[in-house]
């Protein structure tokens, strides 16, 4: 049995329950439905438990068969099929009675979700290569993956899908491996873990390929081969000198793709350019294979998670495509089978998103926070020339703080702090970086403009060292511009009715010289509507303790 959550509006951990039985998706009727039923279904879906359930097609009416009716579970059953029910396909319900569940947003450890790749510990202890302890991805002559180095201790006796020979070139690969014989020779000890690895090239992770584990008592593992060696082409964000120019725009006329709303590099809501307008992708049939095509097209590795239900925030504007069904070997999302849709078919609560495997560049080892109350805040300390030091806060703005939080792997910047005397919990007192000026897209503070070795700081000392407060989520305010245009009008208003507006500095500066309370001002009036499309509440800058009563409002 396979299960999924569907419908809208919903979050990723709730929705109409659909079950795949007898080669057909169908729903479950809400007659006699209980929380115990929801517990069993949520465990099927990979969540630890249920917090509630919904009746009367709260998440919209399904289509197709109604597979189950009068389901009665005790709550401890391993499968919904073990619960009492009227029999598969035997129902007196309509789709207006489709049941839904609300699951606790906590995953069962090790749950195998077809849309999530989790690298288990056993696979993370492969050997001594630089990639051995990190999630990574390989593919054969499809395009540019972004991890560089030797791939640990997988034996090369298997059939070579990309035409590579041990200690030779890879004619089918995008780039010839750099001195693989020397890379092999540098290994002092060979500790084989895998052999006979055979991939189709469309897998999103090496663990999904056919492979054999080396037995611990094997006398001569990989006797017919040598250590497997790979050389990967860096994506545009990671190529040498990429940080010196703005993110590369693809050539004119080509369909483009981008990630928005993600807190970290390589994650975000998928947006595509169609005509001259950016739009989103509906999450119907969204899979790891399609997500991997997106990740590779953007120059990352394969996808580690395909996210549904607007997990990276809801987009705006049109929803361009739905039911993307990539096989995994396409070079662009537009090469995959997909459905062009109108906005009636999908809502922005169904926007698809991805989390991509990103190469380990070592940027996070060159920055740290000190003195904060939590791991997400503190005085910024960077490593330059082999020594740790502070950053001058002259000109330290949200853009620089955003880059610092990104380099730390802590998401967005909530505040750029220019006085950090209350975070002085480190013995680091030397300033090593000044004049930092970022565009905001950089992956490291070292990629931003700065003074280099010629340090210059107006306010010296650790009191004025730069600091940040980072957050995994942030608000994202968007003005409803068409409403402003539709409602704007000119009004002449007497001055005696504008005292409050003057106190709030809502009038132009020339109003100070007017002959109060006589005369009038000509005002531009309009309605305003501001949406928060982010994943955090938007709150006033000042806390409630500093709010004051004002007679104007």
């Amino acid at each position: 049995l396979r299960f999924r959550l569907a419908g809208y509006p919903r979050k990723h951990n709730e929705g109409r329950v659909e079950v795949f039985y007898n080669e057909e998706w169908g729903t479950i009727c809400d007659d006699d439905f209980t929380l115990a039923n929801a517990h069993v279904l949520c465990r099927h879906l990979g969540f630890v438990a249920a917090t509630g359930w919904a009746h009367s097609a709260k998440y919209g009416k399904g289509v197709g068969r109604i597979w189950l009716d009068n389901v009665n579970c005790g709550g401890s059953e391993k499968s919904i099929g073990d619960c009492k029910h009227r029999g598969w396909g035997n129902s007196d319900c309509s789709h207006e009675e489709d049941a839904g569940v609300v699951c606790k947003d906590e995953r069962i450890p090790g749950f195998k979700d077809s849309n999530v790749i989790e690298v288990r510990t056993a696979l993370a202890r492969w050997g001594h290569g630089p990639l051995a302890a990190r999630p990574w991805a390989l593919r054969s002559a499809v395009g540019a993956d972004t991890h560089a180095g030797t791939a640990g201790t997988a034996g090369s006796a298997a059939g070579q899908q990309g035409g590579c020979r041990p200690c030779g070139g890879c004619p089918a690969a995008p780039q010839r491996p750099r001195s693989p014989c020397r890379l092999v020779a540098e290994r002092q000890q060979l500790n084989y873990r895998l052999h006979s690895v055979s991939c189709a090239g469309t897998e999103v992770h090496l663990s999904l390929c056919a492979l054999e584990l080396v037995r611990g008592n094997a006398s001569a593992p990989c006797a017919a081969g040598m250590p497997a060696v790979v050389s990967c082409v860096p994506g545009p964000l990671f190529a040498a000198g990429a940080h010196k120019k703005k993110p590369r725009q693809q050539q004119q006329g080509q369909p483009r793709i981008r990630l928005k709303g993600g807190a970290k590099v390589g994650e975000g809501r998928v947006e595509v350019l169609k005509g001259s307008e950016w739009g989103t992708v509906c999450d119907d049939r969204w899979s790891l294979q399609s997500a991997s095509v997106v990740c590779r097209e953007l120059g990352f590795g394969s996808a580690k998670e395909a996210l549904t239900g607007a997990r990276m925030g809801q987009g705006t504007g049109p929803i361009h495509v739905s039911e993307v069904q990539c096989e995994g070997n396409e070079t662009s999302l537009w090469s995959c089978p997909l459905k062009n849709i109108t906005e009636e078919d999908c809502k922005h609560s169904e926007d698809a998103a991805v989390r991509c495997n990103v190469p380990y560049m070592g940027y996070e080892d060159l920055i740290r926070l000190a003195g904060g109350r939590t791991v997400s805040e503190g005085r910024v300390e960077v490593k330059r020339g082999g020594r740790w030091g502070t950053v001058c806060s002259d000109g330290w703005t949200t853009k620089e703080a955003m880059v610092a939080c990104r380099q730390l792997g802590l998401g967005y910047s909530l505040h750029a702090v220019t006085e950090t005397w209350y975070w002085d919990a480190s013995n680091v007192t030397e300033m090593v970086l000044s004049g930092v000026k970022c565009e905001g897209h950089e992956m490291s503070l070292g990629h931003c403009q700065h003074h280099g070795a010629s340090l210059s700081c107006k306010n010296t000392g650790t009191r004025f060292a730069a600091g940040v407060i980072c957050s995994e989520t942030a608000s994202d305010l968007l003005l409803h511009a068409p409403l402003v245009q539709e409602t704007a009008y000119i009004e002449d208003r007497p001055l005696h009715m504008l005292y409050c507006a003057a106190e709030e500095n809502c009038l132009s500066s020339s109003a100070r010289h007017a002959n109060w309370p006589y005369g009038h001002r000509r005002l531009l009036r309009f309605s305003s509507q501001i949406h928060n499309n982010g994943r955090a509440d938007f709150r006033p800058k000042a806390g409630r303790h500093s709010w004051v009563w004002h007679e104007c409002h």
Side-chain angles (χ1 to χ4, degrees):
L1 294 177
R2 284 160 53 200
F3 297 84
R4 69 184 182 190
L5 293 174
Y8 62 84
R10 67 180 181 89
K11 297 179 180 177
H12 67 282
N13 57 323
E14 64 177 334
R16 180 177 64 248
V17 180
E18 296 189 351
V19 56
F20 192 69
Y21 176 79
N22 199 21
E23 298 300 312
E24 188 178 349
W25 285 102
T27 62
I28 299 175
C29 181
D30 62 10
D31 289 353
D32 300 331
F33 207 86
T34 64
L35 188 61
N37 297 356
H39 281 311
V40 175
L41 287 165
C42 284
R43 288 198 295 271
H44 270 305
L45 292 157
F47 298 96
V48 294
T51 59
W53 61 278
H55 59 83
S56 306
K58 175 186 174 182
Y59 299 103
K61 294 187 287 186
V63 293
R65 300 287 296 272
I66 300 175
W67 279 124
L68 292 173
D69 189 9
N70 300 110
V71 180
N72 185 5
C73 301
S76 59
E77 292 86 351
K78 289 187 176 181
S79 170
I80 196 76
D82 298 335
C83 304
K84 295 178 181 177
H85 55 80
R86 292 180 57 158
W88 289 96
N90 185 7
S91 168
D92 59 359
C93 300
S94 70
H95 280 296
E96 291 180 348
E97 301 169 85
D98 284 344
V101 295
V102 182
C103 302
K104 185 177 180 181
D105 193 6
E106 183 182 339
R107 284 277 179 187
I108 297 172
F111 178 77
K112 298 296 184 189
D113 187 331
S114 63
N115 272 6
V116 180
I117 279 289
E118 291 186 22
V119 182
R120 304 256 53 88
T121 310
L123 280 172
R125 291 198 302 264
W126 278 351
H128 310 291
L131 301 182
R134 298 185 180 274
W136 56 292
L138 293 176
R139 63 198 158 119
S140 165
V142 173
D145 259 339
T146 54
H147 299 287
T150 54
T153 49
S156 61
Q160 305 290 332
Q161 195 71 14
C164 299
R165 300 178 301 281
C167 279
C170 277
Q175 180 173 302
R176 182 184 176 93
R178 179 177 55 82
S179 305
C181 293
R182 183 175 62 79
L183 288 171
V184 172
E186 285 174 355
R187 294 172 175 273
Q188 299 302 311
Q189 291 181 326
L190 296 178
N191 191 9
Y192 290 101
R193 290 281 181 266
L194 306 174
H195 69 91
S196 303
V197 182
S198 179
C199 302
T202 58
E203 295 87 353
V204 297
H205 194 269
L206 198 69
S207 63
L208 301 179
C209 302
L211 53 84
E212 292 184 36
L213 295 171
V214 175
R215 295 181 181 275
N217 57 0
S219 57
C222 200
M226 298 185 70
V229 177
V230 296
S231 178
C232 305
V233 181
L237 280 175
F238 309 96
H243 60 272
K244 295 179 181 176
K245 52 183 180 289
K246 292 185 179 180
R248 189 188 69 178
Q249 293 291 321
Q250 294 188 11
Q251 295 175 7
Q252 293 269 337
Q254 288 184 321
R256 290 187 291 177
I257 191 165
R258 68 185 184 186
L259 300 182
K260 300 289 282 185
K264 300 174 183 175
V265 175
E267 69 174 34
R269 179 178 61 252
V270 180
E271 296 191 353
V272 292
L273 186 66
K274 188 176 177 185
S276 59
E277 193 172 15
W278 286 100
T280 61
V281 175
C282 185
D283 65 8
D284 291 352
R285 300 201 181 190
W286 188 242
S287 67
L288 268 173
Q289 282 71 28
S290 300
S292 287
V293 171
V294 170
C295 290
R296 288 167 175 158
E297 185 175 356
L298 290 166
F300 302 110
S302 56
K304 59 183 175 184
E305 198 165 353
L307 300 166
T308 57
R311 290 274 298 280
M312 291 290 174
Q314 296 186 24
T316 57
I319 302 170
H320 283 324
V321 294
S322 177
E323 297 189 23
V324 181
Q325 298 180 67
C326 302
E327 292 183 4
N329 55 3
E330 298 88 350
T331 56
S332 170
L333 188 75
W334 295 99
S335 303
C336 304
L338 50 83
K339 181 181 174 186
N340 290 302
I341 61 168
T342 59
E343 202 164 340
E344 288 74 39
D345 297 319
C346 272
K347 305 296 180 186
H348 280 298
S349 57
E350 300 171 86
D351 283 344
V354 296
R355 283 197 178 104
C356 305
N357 282 306
V358 179
Y360 171 67
M361 305 295 287
Y363 296 144
E364 61 265 45
D365 299 332
L366 303 175
I367 189 171
R368 67 189 184 190
L369 297 181
R373 296 162 298 178
T374 68
V375 295
S376 298
E377 68 175 32
R379 191 176 70 193
V380 176
E381 295 179 356
V382 296
K383 193 174 186 179
R384 291 182 64 80
R387 67 188 194 277
W388 288 96
T390 61
V391 179
C392 176
S393 63
D394 291 354
W396 184 256
T397 67
T398 300
K399 285 185 177 181
E400 288 73 37
M402 286 289 269
V403 174
C405 290
R406 182 180 300 126
Q407 184 178 354
L408 286 157
L410 295 176
Y412 302 103
S413 164
L414 288 185
H415 296 290
V417 184
T418 55
E419 284 194 43
T420 53
W421 51 269
Y422 43 85
W423 282 337
D424 193 12
S426 169
N427 57 3
V428 173
T429 57
E430 182 185 8
M431 184 186 68
V432 296
L433 195 61
S434 67
V436 180
K437 186 174 176 59
C438 302
E439 295 280 344
H441 59 77
E442 297 89 348
M443 299 174 67
S444 158
L445 287 178
H447 296 165
C448 303
Q449 293 180 28
H450 54 81
H451 290 155
S454 306
L455 299 174
S456 175
C457 190
K458 184 170 64 178
N459 295 313
T460 57
T462 55
R463 174 190 176 104
F464 297 103
V468 291
I469 300 176
C470 305
S471 172
E472 282 283 332
T473 58
S475 54
D476 182 11
L477 302 187
L478 190 77
L479 175 69
H480 185 25
L483 182 68
V484 175
Q485 295 174 327
E486 291 164 9
T487 59
Y489 66 97
I490 297 291
E491 180 189 25
D492 289 340
R493 200 164 180 85
L495 279 177
H496 68 82
M497 298 178 67
L498 293 174
Y499 277 107
C500 282
E503 284 189 29
E504 295 286 295
N505 290 318
C506 291
L507 302 180
S508 63
S509 56
S510 62
R512 295 193 199 118
H513 310 297
N515 185 22
W516 291 83
Y518 307 105
H520 66 272
R521 302 291 295 178
R522 178 158 290 183
L523 307 177
L524 175 65
R525 306 294 300 271
F526 54 87
S527 296
S528 175
Q529 196 176 92
I530 297 172
H531 298 265
N532 179 7
N533 285 335
R535 292 185 290 143
D537 292 337
F538 177 74
R539 302 180 185 277
K541 196 170 186 178
R544 290 189 180 185
H545 62 279
S546 61
W547 295 3
V548 295
W549 174 260
H550 196 288
E551 63 180 6
C552 290
H553 45 74

